[in-house]
């Protein structure tokens, strides 16, 4: 059993299996509570939100017990999007925020993400210290100083109002038909409410969570259902969120799906024209398409690349004073409005572009011609280290040589699932396919 708890986005795993057990969640809550206690008083609070997974009840209770045992007062938000937790941590003057979610993963997985008092995700250093304290154990509060817990009933509505305030003043969505896919997740009430209040005709799907259908044949990772709904209803646009609503995919009126790279390209160009793009740059990860980089370069803008993970994107944005960033997977971060990726907020920005330009979604989602890109995943078992195998190293070196400077090869271990991700880009699709397949076969042999 590994002592390592935190990955690229908090602690994540299969529910009731290490590290996602109730016992670990209790100890993690106690450690985080002790870490964020600035003094011995009881005037400290934590906000806790969750998505719609069945195991969320278990982890909500365990974390509450851990935090209150160290004297923290707990404010329970219930099902809300991840960005709502970041926003409410800051606005409610909490010391720490927690989101219980495994994002786009299946229902049997869950995770725990932490936000600091500024509403931003924790640094590696803070996570490492909380991890150390979790393993070492912490001193609990005296009986008279145990914290209290209470439900916050209007957290969702506070977040809804913040979202609507991001929409251009005086603009509405009257006459626009919008399909919204909430992935049976955290935004199943929020997203349809906000769109309706802004004037749209809303076709909502993925809004009947039962604890086990989150991300199941719906949402940003499986947008086919929403694309079909767009065509069936003659909708102007479709917006696909994931289970915790921090990422988005856009579907145009023809049913074509656009990823985060196209949305970031649109926003970067619009913001630059409006004088709003700080630093003349967009921050994205190493996974973003080479076509995006060329598109920005042609407009005198820069692409700043980071490691995969919206937390690393945000860290670079804060370091460089940039205000727009994100990931190809649909995390779009706009620090003028939010402290983390916000799928619905990004969707509203796209709708605003439709309203202001009068152009259909199909024109706005195709900002650049992507360089052919191929991504394949190989699952491995606990304890295996396929990237250390000599045959795998040789296959990677050979694949890189085959691209011969005319493309990119990126091999990495997922920070949220036991997967090796093999991605390459090249104008020559035959070479591209051969390069990826050779590495995949080597990794599969090493994990057999």
């Amino acid at each position: 059993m590994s002592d390592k708890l935190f990955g690229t986005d908090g602690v994540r795993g299969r529910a009731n299996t290490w590290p996602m057990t109730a016992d670990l969640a209790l100890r993690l809550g106690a450690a985080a509570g002790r870490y964020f206690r600035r003094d011995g008083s009881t005037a400290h609070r934590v906000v806790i939100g969750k998505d719609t997974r069945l195991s969320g009840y278990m982890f909500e209770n365990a974390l509450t017990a851990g935090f209150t045992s160290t004297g923290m007062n707990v404010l329970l938000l219930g099902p809300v999007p991840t960005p709502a937790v970041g926003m409410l941590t800051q606005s409610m003057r909490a010391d720490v925020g927690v989101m219980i979610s495994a994002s786009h993963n299946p229902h049997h997985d869950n995770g725990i993400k932490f936000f600091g008092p500024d509403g931003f995700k924790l640094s590696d250093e803070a996570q490492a210290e909380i991890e150390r304290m979790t393993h070492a154990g912490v001193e609990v509060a005296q009986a008279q100083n145990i914290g209290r817990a209470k439900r916050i009933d209007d957290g969702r509505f506070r977040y809804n109002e913040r979202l609507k305030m991001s929409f251009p003043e005086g603009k509405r969505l009257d006459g626009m038909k919008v399909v919204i896919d909430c992935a049976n997740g955290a935004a199943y009430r929020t997203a349809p409410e906000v769109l309706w209040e802004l004037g749209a005709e809303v076709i909502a799907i993925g809004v009947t969570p039962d604890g086990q259908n989150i991300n199941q044949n719906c949402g940003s990772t499986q947008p086919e259902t929403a694309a079909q709904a767009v065509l069936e209803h003659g909708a102007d646009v479709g917006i696909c969120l994931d289970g915790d609503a921090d990422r988005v995919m856009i579907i145009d009126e023809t049913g074509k799906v656009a990823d985060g790279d196209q949305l970031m390209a649109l926003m970067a160009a619009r913001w630059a024209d409006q004088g709003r793009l700080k630093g003349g740059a967009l921050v994205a990860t190493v996974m973003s398409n080479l076509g995006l980089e060329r598109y920005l370069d042609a407009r005198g803008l820069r692409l700043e690349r980071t490691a995969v993970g919206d937390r690393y994107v945000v860290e670079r944005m804060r370091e460089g004073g940039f205000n727009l960033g994100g990931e190809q997977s649909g995390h779009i971060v706009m620090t003028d409005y939010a402290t983390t990726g916000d799928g619905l907020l990004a969707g509203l920005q796209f709708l605003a572009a439709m309203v202001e330009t009068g152009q259909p979604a199909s024109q706005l989602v195709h900002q650049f011609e992507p360089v052919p890109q191929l991504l394949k995943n190989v699952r491995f078992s606990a304890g295996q280290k396929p990237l250390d195998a000599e045959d795998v190293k040789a296959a990677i070196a050979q694949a890189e040589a085959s691209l011969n400077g005319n493309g990119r090869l990126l091999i990495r271990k997922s920070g949220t699932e036991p997967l090796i991700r093999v991605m390459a880009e090249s104008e020559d699709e035959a070479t591209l396919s051969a390069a990826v397949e050779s590495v995949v076969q080597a990794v599969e042999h090493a994990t057999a």
Side-chain angles (χ1 to χ4, degrees):
M1 183 184 297
S2 172
D3 287 340
K4 180 68 175 173
L5 299 177
F6 286 91
T8 56
D9 198 15
V11 182
R12 188 177 297 190
R14 193 178 184 95
N16 268 348
T17 302
W18 180 267
M20 289 306 299
T21 64
D23 173 67
L24 189 281
L26 187 150
R27 291 192 283 129
L28 193 62
R34 181 56 63 191
Y35 178 85
F36 282 98
R37 286 283 304 275
R38 293 184 297 269
D39 53 47
S41 75
T42 57
H44 297 282
R45 59 179 62 159
V46 52
V47 297
I48 300 179
K50 62 180 180 179
D51 63 23
T52 56
R53 294 165 209 268
L54 181 63
S55 60
Y57 294 101
M58 177 177 72
F59 292 117
E60 182 183 57
N61 289 329
L63 285 164
T64 297
F67 276 109
T68 54
S69 75
T70 57
M72 295 283 281
N73 294 317
V74 178
L75 306 177
L76 298 168
L77 303 174
V80 293
T82 286
V85 174
M87 185 269 283
L88 291 166
T89 299
Q90 185 181 39
S91 69
M92 298 182 75
R93 309 308 194 264
D95 299 274
V96 56
V98 182
M99 180 64 182
I100 304 167
S101 174
S103 190
H104 60 283
N105 286 26
H107 76 90
H108 51 66
D109 290 341
N110 217 327
I112 299 171
K113 311 177 190 182
F114 289 98
F115 294 85
D118 57 2
F120 288 93
K121 291 181 180 178
L122 299 187
S123 65
D124 288 337
E125 293 75 20
Q127 289 187 161
E129 179 60 15
I130 291 173
E131 188 170 292
R132 185 197 67 77
M133 295 171 69
T134 300
H135 291 306
V138 299
E139 181 182 356
V140 296
Q142 295 182 356
Q144 67 272 23
N145 293 327
I146 292 173
R148 301 174 183 272
K150 63 182 289 188
R151 291 276 170 189
I152 302 298
D153 296 324
D154 66 345
R156 178 175 101 250
F157 303 110
R158 298 189 195 194
Y159 173 64
N160 288 3
E161 290 304 309
R162 180 72 66 89
L163 285 171
K164 289 188 293 182
M165 287 173 61
S166 73
F167 205 72
E169 187 175 359
K171 301 293 183 181
R172 292 177 53 85
L173 298 175
D174 294 342
M176 188 176 292
K177 186 181 292 187
V178 181
V179 168
I180 178 70
D181 182 350
C182 300
N184 291 313
Y188 77 99
R189 290 181 293 185
T190 288
E193 287 170 348
V194 169
L195 292 170
W196 178 78
E197 289 174 19
L198 287 172
E201 179 182 345
V202 182
I203 297 98
I205 61 177
V207 290
T208 55
D210 63 10
Q212 298 183 340
N213 62 357
I214 188 171
N215 300 313
Q216 184 178 328
N217 300 319
C218 58
S220 64
T221 54
Q222 295 179 285
E224 296 82 9
T225 302
Q228 183 178 353
V230 168
L231 296 176
E232 288 179 351
H233 292 275
D236 298 291
V237 64
I239 299 173
C240 285
L241 307 174
D242 68 335
D244 67 336
D246 65 353
R247 65 166 72 180
V248 66
M249 292 286 166
I250 299 294
I251 301 171
D252 71 20
E253 74 278 8
T254 71
K256 183 178 180 181
V257 180
D259 63 18
D261 282 349
Q262 295 287 354
L263 185 52
M264 288 189 291
L266 170 67
M267 294 176 62
R270 280 175 52 81
W271 285 19
D273 290 345
Q274 296 166 0
R276 296 176 55 196
L277 188 67
K278 295 181 181 177
L282 167 71
V283 181
T285 76
V286 292
M287 295 294 289
S288 278
N289 195 277
L290 184 59
L292 173 61
E293 192 166 357
R294 294 172 176 174
Y295 172 87
L296 295 172
D297 185 64
R299 285 157 180 75
L301 305 174
R302 302 192 320 280
L303 179 64
E304 298 257 341
R305 290 190 185 268
T306 73
V308 175
D310 66 316
R311 190 161 59 89
Y312 301 114
V313 170
V314 174
E315 285 178 1
R316 180 67 191 114
M317 291 172 68
R318 299 181 76 187
E319 289 171 359
F322 308 116
N323 63 342
L324 180 62
E327 296 187 280
Q328 184 185 68
S329 60
H331 285 119
I332 310 296
V333 184
M334 298 158 280
T335 51
D336 289 351
Y337 303 111
T339 59
T340 188
D342 191 324
L344 184 53
L345 179 61
L348 290 178
Q349 289 294 305
F350 184 83
L351 295 178
M354 291 181 66
V355 170
E356 293 179 337
T357 66
Q359 295 180 8
S362 55
Q363 291 187 26
L364 294 176
V365 296
H366 190 73
Q367 294 294 306
F368 65 89
E369 195 63 43
V371 173
Q373 187 180 76
L374 182 60
L375 170 66
K376 290 192 175 183
N377 299 318
V378 183
R379 190 167 293 274
F380 62 93
S381 301
Q384 291 183 324
K385 297 181 179 180
L387 296 184
D388 292 342
E390 292 302 322
D391 288 351
V392 174
K393 293 179 180 179
I396 292 173
Q398 186 174 355
E400 288 176 333
S402 72
L403 293 173
N404 194 28
N406 294 318
R408 289 197 305 143
L409 180 68
L410 179 66
I411 316 294
R412 69 180 187 89
K413 185 170 72 171
S414 170
T416 58
E417 300 177 82
L419 298 174
I420 300 298
R421 302 196 190 277
V422 182
M423 189 276 282
E425 290 177 327
S426 177
E427 301 283 4
D428 185 335
E429 294 196 44
T431 301
L432 169 67
S433 179
V436 170
E437 193 59 36
S438 65
V439 176
V440 166
Q441 290 180 2
V443 175
E444 286 177 341
H445 184 265
T447 58

